[in-house]
Amino acid sequence: ADGAPGSLLATAGAMRAAGLLLAWALLRAAASQQCHPSSPGGVLRFTDRHAEIRVPALHRVPSSLDPLYGLVRRCLDLIQQNPLPTELLRTVLNDPGSVQTSQVVQYELGYVVCAAVALLFTVAVPVAGMCFCYCRSRRRCGGRLRAHRRSLGCRRRCLLACLSFTSLVILVSVTCAFVTSQRVKGQMEPGLGAVPSTLRTLRQHLANVPQGVQMVVDKFEVPRKQIISDLAGKHGAGQHPELALGMDAVLTAPRCLAGLSRSVGLSIHAQLKAMTYAALADLQDRARDLQTSLHHLQIVHRTARALAAARAELEPALRERRHRVVALLDDPRCTSCASVLGRAQGLQLGADYGKVPSVEKVLKALAGLPRSDFAEMIHQGNGTFNSIPELAVERMAQVIQDLRADLARTAEKVQSIADGFPLPDYTRPVSEALEEAEHRSQPYLREAERFEHYRWIAGTVLCSIILLILACNVMGMALGTYGLSKREDPSDYECRGEAGAKFLLVGVGLAFLFSWLLILLVFATFLVGGNIQTLVCRNWVNQEIYKFIDTPGNLPPSMNLTRQLNLRRDSNLSSAYRECKSGAGLWEVLQLDSSYDLDEHLKAPKYTADFQKRLGDFTADLGEVRLLRSEGRQDLETFARSGVDEVDYGRFQEEMENPVVQTSLPGLARNLEGLQKMQRNSTVAGRLAAEARALWHMQNSTVQSQEALVAKLGESVQFLSHLAPHLKERVRRTLATTASVEARLPVQAQQILRQELGCFTRKELRYFSQYLNWVGQTLREDVASCQPLATALDNGRVILCDRIAEPWNAFWFSLGCCTFFLIPSIIFAVRLTKHFRPIRNRLM
């Protein structure tokens, strides 16, 4: 372009300055910014394989029978209020022959009282039954009423209500007995089977620890592959267009993979491109200013000389034309010509461009400029800067290879976690103890299962007999009541009433016959279940059993669990149980000859020191970016010293304000043409027309060309006048900015390199930390956890106490209620039979 308005140039310069300020601000912000937070993709996912041998935790399941269970526990707490008999148990375990019966009786006093009650019941009820049979044979019991009284109806209804209520209580109790008996049977077989199964599972858990530890160590492949992926870049490629500077070439970054070296190069390029492109754009503007200024200076020089020469040629012709027009208008024959005479007399030259300053000196100073090819220079600087990502890939190739080798050595170090794991040698005593417990428990479990089978049969038969007694009571009451309602005379015989009485007596007979069996079954199950609850379960819940086992001297040497389980010397069963329950590892509770500190093995610096040091020590020369060579700098300095800003452009503007000719030739020509129409003298009219044509010819041939030169000169002068005041400052700022950018680019590139490598290091260290944390958590909570041992103990308590002992005790309690309520049932039934038989003597 020949030029541009000064306002546009000023705006462009302001935008360039703002761009440079923004570039510096972005650069400072980039230099101080923190690493971006890790994305969701930065979280490692490990396959959830863990230990394949598990001991599932069992829990007490809420039941509709819980109120009954609570009632039974409170009853047992009243019967047996003594705490755990520590001295008695110590004597039993260490010297069974020295156990005194009085000690056992003193502790079991509540059960002894219950045994006495059961014995009394066992003897008294059958004796009462035999006496009843004897009296019945003598017709003294269960006969007929001898006389009718008005109170008999009220008494009969009272007896019916009492027997009905007693039968209802027995029915509810026998129903609970059936349900709890079936529940004991349903829980006994899986509960007994869980003992050897759990012991085998624990042994398998211990045996599988080495394979589990090796599996955990092998999972280092997950972070290793992720780090290698981050180093090499396995992600999708994409076009990365760069900023176009308005130059002949538009630079575009090559397709890239987001590996470490490429990522570092792109980050350096992205953070420095605003500053670099702003400097290149400013340099391009100065080169354009140089070219455009030289062009306009040449225009000013040529145009001023042409205008001066044209003025010299126009002056005699204009003087002669003025003389002729004035003479014609001054002729007396010219009608009304006096009004135009003044304008014709002012017909003379205006602007004199011979007086404007000469720019020849400036042109001589700029002669031969530009000596350098600024377009090529800027293109090369831009290309060198845009090659930083590729150069980073080249410079970092060796360190990437070294980091891969470091990862291989780290994998060997991680293998030491498995190689140094000491458990296989120290879990043998635990495995042997578990195996011995499994073999010893088998006979007892079989006996318990056989005893439970007999108990269930006896309980089912006796509960069925109780139901039969209830059926007799119900049938007796129903038939007797129906018979009474159909009997018109109390002394009349009625077969249905007699049948009701016989049914009641059959129920009474069954109650007398089987009550002793019922009380024997109740006492046998009560003695076993009650002692399990008060001696074992209650002390198991409050940890008293563990305290007894941990107290030295309570157990015989052959039952030293601390030694058999190979626990730490400073540990015992209680502390080991608490540690295992809280998630401790096996190696933390076992007695190891040489301590194995897992936390020491899982310290990240042990595996990341070489990796971190290699990245921390790495430096790379990413080349020197030259934005302005020395010949280009000399061209700009010469341009600033050329004197473009010293030319008095105001003199040009003053002369351009003057017209080429003082009087407007077209206006004067139109005036003459108007006068020509007013003339009566044809000669004068012809001369006026000829002068008008001469003026038009001078305007079109000479004056217009000079005016065009003046307009052209005005554009160049306007450009130079706006550029000149700021030229030296702009050139100085451009040279300073270019030199500063060239000096800061390597420094800032190194800072960004350190920052990016630091961010990458922290990201990869997070992968190591995630893996090592996962290793510690998996070994402690799963693969080599001793929590299954605590879980097995808790499961034993749940099975024995919550699932077997509670329904077992509820069974004898319900059956005992049935048994004891048979006594009032017998009494009410015997008393009621008399009311169902005809009265012997009727009294009016």
Side-chain angles (χ1 to χ4, degrees):
D2 291 340
S7 59
L8 294 179
L9 288 175
T11 303
M15 292 178 64
R16 295 301 182 194
L20 284 173
L21 291 175
L22 178 61
W24 287 112
L26 292 175
L27 183 59
R28 288 195 297 270
S32 60
Q33 69 178 356
Q34 301 297 324
C35 299
H36 295 292
S38 58
S39 61
V43 178
L44 298 178
R45 303 294 180 185
F46 298 97
T47 305
D48 187 17
R49 287 182 56 218
H50 306 324
E52 298 179 356
I53 307 300
R54 299 178 183 271
V55 179
L58 302 179
H59 302 282
R60 188 181 187 278
V61 181
S63 169
S64 58
L65 295 174
D66 285 347
L68 177 60
Y69 296 159
L71 177 62
V72 174
R73 284 197 298 271
R74 287 190 290 271
C75 291
L76 287 174
D77 290 339
L78 289 174
I79 294 171
Q80 177 56 282
Q81 300 180 6
N82 297 323
L84 183 69
T86 305
E87 296 297 331
L88 179 59
L89 289 176
R90 181 188 297 117
T91 305
V92 170
L93 292 173
N94 291 276
D95 189 10
S98 63
V99 176
Q100 297 178 2
T101 306
S102 60
Q103 292 178 307
V104 179
V105 171
Q106 182 180 0
Y107 176 74
E108 298 280 344
L109 184 59
Y111 294 100
V112 171
V113 172
C114 293
V117 173
L119 180 62
L120 178 62
F121 188 96
T122 304
V123 173
V125 174
V127 169
M130 287 187 290
C131 293
F132 176 77
C133 291
Y134 177 78
C135 292
R136 184 73 185 92
S137 65
R138 296 291 182 178
R139 297 183 181 273
R140 294 182 181 179
C141 295
R144 292 184 291 176
L145 294 173
R146 296 181 179 273
H148 177 73
R149 297 182 180 87
R150 292 180 179 180
S151 60
L152 289 179
C154 180
R155 187 181 302 176
R156 183 172 58 249
R157 286 190 294 272
C158 181
L159 289 173
L160 279 171
C162 291
L163 183 58
S164 299
F165 175 75
T166 306
S167 300
L168 180 62
V169 172
I170 295 174
L171 177 62
V172 173
S173 299
V174 77
T175 303
C176 292
F178 264 121
V179 172
T180 52
S181 178
Q182 193 62 35
R183 185 160 295 185
V184 172
K185 177 178 173 58
Q187 293 293 337
M188 185 66 75
E189 183 176 354
L192 297 177
V195 174
S197 174
T198 301
L199 294 174
R200 282 194 300 272
T201 301
L202 291 176
R203 287 195 292 111
Q204 292 173 358
H205 172 71
L206 295 175
N208 286 351
V209 167
Q211 295 89 334
V213 174
Q214 186 60 48
M215 179 273 293
V216 170
V217 169
D218 291 341
K219 287 300 176 181
F220 180 70
E221 190 68 12
V222 174
R224 191 184 74 84
K225 285 184 177 179
Q226 181 61 48
I227 295 172
I228 289 177
S229 175
D230 291 345
L231 287 173
K234 302 293 184 180
H235 309 293
Q239 193 74 10
H240 183 75
E242 298 301 335
L243 175 67
L245 294 177
M247 294 178 259
D248 295 337
V250 177
L251 301 176
T252 303
R255 293 185 176 270
C256 57
L257 295 174
L260 172 61
S261 55
R262 178 74 67 177
S263 175
V264 169
L266 289 176
S267 181
I268 294 173
H269 185 273
Q271 296 186 42
L272 297 180
K273 69 179 181 181
M275 176 184 69
T276 305
Y277 288 165
L280 288 173
D282 197 50
L283 179 60
Q284 188 180 35
D285 287 345
R286 298 292 78 76
R288 186 181 294 114
D289 288 345
L290 173 59
Q291 294 281 2
T292 308
S293 298
L294 185 59
H295 172 70
H296 284 294
L297 285 170
Q298 292 172 349
I299 289 176
V300 169
H301 179 65
R302 291 195 305 267
T303 305
R305 292 180 61 184
L307 287 172
R311 187 180 190 280
E313 294 178 1
L314 180 61
E315 184 178 9
L318 184 63
R319 188 169 54 249
E320 180 183 356
R321 185 57 53 198
R322 183 183 64 226
H323 177 72
R324 295 185 65 176
V325 172
V326 169
L328 177 60
L329 294 176
D330 198 31
D331 191 340
R333 293 175 296 175
C334 185
T335 305
S336 300
C337 294
S339 60
V340 186
L341 181 59
R343 296 190 66 180
Q345 290 175 345
L347 193 64
Q348 57 185 358
L349 293 175
D352 185 2
Y353 289 95
K355 300 177 182 179
V356 298
S358 174
V359 297
E360 187 173 358
K361 180 181 178 181
V362 178
L363 286 173
K364 288 182 179 179
L366 296 177
L369 293 185
R371 297 182 181 87
S372 57
D373 188 348
F374 280 95
E376 178 63 23
M377 189 188 313
I378 293 173
H379 179 75
Q380 289 182 359
N382 198 10
T384 303
F385 177 72
N386 287 336
S387 66
I388 285 179
E390 294 294 338
L391 193 61
V393 173
E394 179 183 345
R395 294 288 192 270
M396 296 184 67
Q398 183 59 44
V399 74
I400 297 296
Q401 184 176 353
D402 293 341
L403 289 173
R404 289 172 177 267
D406 289 340
L407 283 176
R409 287 190 291 271
T410 302
E412 297 175 358
K413 294 179 181 179
V414 172
Q415 182 61 37
S416 66
I417 298 177
D419 295 340
F421 208 73
L423 282 182
D425 296 332
Y426 299 96
T427 55
R428 189 175 299 109
V430 183
S431 299
E432 292 175 354
L434 293 174
E435 186 176 8
E436 183 179 1
E438 180 182 352
H439 291 317
R440 286 190 175 185
S441 65
Q442 293 292 346
Y444 299 103
L445 295 176
R446 285 193 294 268
E447 287 297 321
E449 187 173 2
R450 187 166 61 87
F451 176 77
E452 163 57 21
H453 181 67
Y454 293 149
R455 182 212 63 81
W456 180 80
I457 293 176
T460 303
V461 171
L462 293 177
C463 287
S464 301
I465 292 174
I466 293 175
L467 288 177
L468 182 59
I469 294 172
L470 288 176
C472 291
N473 288 348
V474 171
M475 289 296 296
M477 289 187 291
L479 291 174
T481 304
Y482 181 71
L484 288 176
S485 65
K486 296 298 183 180
R487 183 183 299 168
E488 297 180 356
D489 188 342
S491 62
D492 292 342
Y493 178 81
E494 210 282 324
C495 62
R496 283 184 288 267
E498 186 68 23
K502 290 181 179 179
F503 268 111
L504 290 177
L505 290 177
V506 170
V508 170
L510 290 174
F512 280 129
L513 183 61
F514 290 101
S515 59
W516 68 279
L517 290 176
L518 284 169
I519 199 64
L520 288 179
L521 179 61
V522 168
F523 179 73
T525 52
F526 158 73
L527 188 62
V528 175
N531 275 290
I532 290 177
Q533 173 62 35
T534 58
L535 185 62
V536 179
C537 295
R538 187 169 63 189
N539 295 293
W540 199 338
V541 172
N542 58 24
Q543 308 288 311
E544 289 297 326
I545 287 182
Y546 296 137
K547 295 178 183 178
F548 174 80
I549 295 174
D550 294 336
T551 303
N554 284 348
L555 297 179
S558 60
M559 297 177 63
N560 190 337
L561 295 181
T562 301
R563 186 180 68 252
Q564 289 182 353
L565 297 177
N566 198 29
L567 300 179
R568 294 196 318 266
R569 292 190 179 92
D570 60 343
S571 178
N572 51 39
L573 186 61
S574 298
S575 61
Y577 169 77
R578 288 193 297 269
E579 291 178 19
C580 291
K581 195 168 183 63
S582 64
L586 281 169
W587 66 93
E588 295 174 317
V589 299
L590 296 182
Q591 177 63 47
L592 306 181
D593 293 339
S594 57
S595 177
Y596 180 80
D597 189 354
L598 180 63
D599 293 332
E600 185 67 28
H601 283 77
L602 297 182
K603 288 183 177 179
K606 181 177 180 180
Y607 308 99
T608 61
D610 295 341
F611 187 91
Q612 193 171 1
K613 184 176 184 302
R614 192 174 301 280
L615 284 173
D617 295 343
F618 177 75
T619 57
D621 181 12
L622 299 179
E624 183 180 6
V625 179
R626 299 292 298 171
L627 305 182
L628 181 64
R629 292 194 292 269
S630 58
E631 58 270 23
R633 182 177 297 275
Q634 292 174 3
D635 284 352
L636 292 181
E637 291 174 349
T638 302
F639 178 40
R641 295 193 305 267
S642 63
V644 175
D645 56 330
E646 298 175 359
V647 177
D648 187 3
Y649 296 103
R651 288 288 298 118
F652 285 93
Q653 293 173 349
E654 291 175 0
E655 289 300 325
M656 286 188 293
E657 291 176 357
N658 298 323
V660 176
V661 180
Q662 293 289 350
T663 301
S664 174
L665 294 182
L668 182 58
R670 283 191 289 272
N671 289 336
L672 294 179
E673 290 175 348
L675 291 174
Q676 182 249 332
K677 295 177 182 178
M678 299 170 58
Q679 301 302 315
R680 296 183 182 89
N681 190 320
S682 59
T683 303
V684 173
R687 290 179 61 189
L688 287 172
E691 290 301 328
R693 286 193 297 273
L695 291 173
W696 279 114
H697 180 267
M698 181 178 291
Q699 173 66 28
N700 295 332
S701 62
T702 304
V703 175
Q704 279 188 356
S705 62
Q706 291 188 35
E707 290 176 345
L709 290 176
V710 171
K712 185 176 182 181
L713 177 64
E715 293 177 356
S716 297
V717 169
Q718 184 181 13
F719 174 82
L720 293 172
S721 64
H722 282 87
L723 174 67
H726 311 288
L727 176 61
K728 287 185 178 180
E729 177 60 25
R730 288 181 181 177
V731 172
R732 185 196 63 77
R733 187 181 67 241
T734 299
L735 294 176
T737 300
T738 305
S740 176
V741 170
E742 289 179 344
R744 291 178 65 87
L745 273 176
V747 177
Q748 295 292 346
Q750 287 300 320
Q751 291 179 358
I752 297 172
L753 173 67
R754 301 286 353 120
Q755 173 189 322
E756 291 297 318
L757 290 181
C759 291
F760 177 83
T761 302
R762 287 189 287 276
K763 175 185 175 184
E764 307 310 318
L765 291 183
R766 281 196 295 271
Y767 291 144
F768 281 104
S769 299
Q770 288 181 48
Y771 169 72
L772 294 175
N773 291 337
W774 176 80
V775 168
Q777 180 181 2
T778 304
L779 289 180
R780 283 192 173 94
E781 298 180 2
D782 203 341
V783 171
S785 172
C786 74
Q787 195 168 22
L789 299 176
T791 303
L793 290 175
D794 292 339
N795 290 350
R797 181 187 58 77
V798 171
I799 292 172
L800 177 62
C801 300
D802 296 339
R803 299 192 177 183
I804 296 178
E806 284 193 343
W808 176 288
N809 290 325
F811 166 74
W812 65 253
F813 185 82
S814 301
L815 195 61
C817 288
C818 296
T819 304
F820 282 102
F821 271 91
L822 284 177
I823 297 175
S825 174
I826 291 171
I827 297 172
F828 295 143
V830 171
R831 298 289 299 274
L832 192 59
T833 54
K834 296 181 180 182
H835 293 269
F836 292 157
R837 287 174 172 163
I839 300 175
R840 292 183 178 180
N841 298 319
R842 179 178 181 185
L843 299 178
M844 299 301 294

